[in-house]
Amino acid sequence: DLPGPLTNIVTVSGNDILRNPVTPVTATATVTLTYTSSISIAKTASSKSPLWITGEGAKLGDDIVYTYVVSNTGTTTVSRIAAVDDKLGAVTFDRETLAPGGTATGSLTYKVVQEDMGEELRATITNTVAATGTSIGRQIESKPATVTAGVYRDAISPVVTCVSDNG
């Protein structure tokens, strides 16, 4: 906790125009010190898949790059910035300590696999992340951020070959 309240006391003394001392006057001002310790996290997904660019999603075998940005939305410095994606694990950020208004960025890459699809031609991958940090000796946590990425695979077209003609 911050010390407080902060009190400033000033006393004015002096002489009048005849050089006689005047009664000193004292004024006091008190300010309550306040702060907020808070962080937020934003998460986005992108892929170089041609269909991702048109809004269709990533294809089986494509990489999805998840980008994470933690912002210090409070008025105190936050250290030990960390985040864990529920599907991809720990995120490594470009800095561990954030001044008020500062940001830290990290990314993780995921390759779309058959298990993401099941038997469907189209599916989604949804994952969530929250950030944590330490400020003024206390752990703080962001609200979670969730991203849902569309994924697809090509339809399976069976090839039938005639091996015998009983004609």
Side-chain angles (χ1 to χ4, degrees):
D1 289 332
L2 294 174
L6 179 62
T7 302
N8 187 12
I9 301 171
V10 64
T11 301
V12 177
S13 60
N15 298 322
D16 64 18
I17 59 171
L18 300 176
R19 299 195 189 267
N20 297 317
V22 293
T23 304
V25 177
T26 301
T28 303
T30 301
V31 176
T32 301
L33 302 176
T34 61
Y35 66 92
T36 56
S37 297
S38 61
I39 54 176
S40 65
I41 189 164
K43 178 181 178 180
T44 58
S46 63
S47 176
K48 293 184 179 180
S49 171
L51 288 178
W52 183 278
I53 296 166
T54 63
E56 299 286 328
K59 188 175 179 181
L60 184 65
D62 286 343
D63 287 338
I64 299 175
V65 177
Y66 293 94
T67 302
Y68 309 84
V69 178
V70 176
S71 300
N72 181 344
T73 56
T75 59
T76 61
T77 298
V78 179
S79 61
R80 295 188 214 139
I81 297 296
V84 177
D85 186 295
D86 69 339
K87 298 231 185 301
L88 305 176
V91 180
T92 301
F93 290 99
D94 60 355
R95 61 188 44 89
E96 186 180 279
T97 300
L98 297 177
T103 60
T105 303
S107 65
L108 293 172
T109 301
Y110 179 76
K111 186 172 289 299
V112 179
V113 296
Q114 180 62 49
E115 288 77 23
D116 297 321
M117 307 298 303
E119 297 299 318
E120 303 299 320
L121 294 178
R122 294 188 176 281
T124 57
I125 300 171
T126 301
N127 50 351
T128 301
V129 66
T132 60
T134 301
S135 181
I136 311 178
R138 294 188 178 136
Q139 184 164 351
I140 60 174
E141 185 171 343
S142 71
K143 292 181 180 177
T146 300
V147 168
T148 300
V151 294
Y152 72 96
R153 67 177 170 88
D154 292 327
I156 298 171
S157 300
V159 176
V160 178
T161 305
C162 182
V163 294
S164 163
D165 184 5
N166 293 333

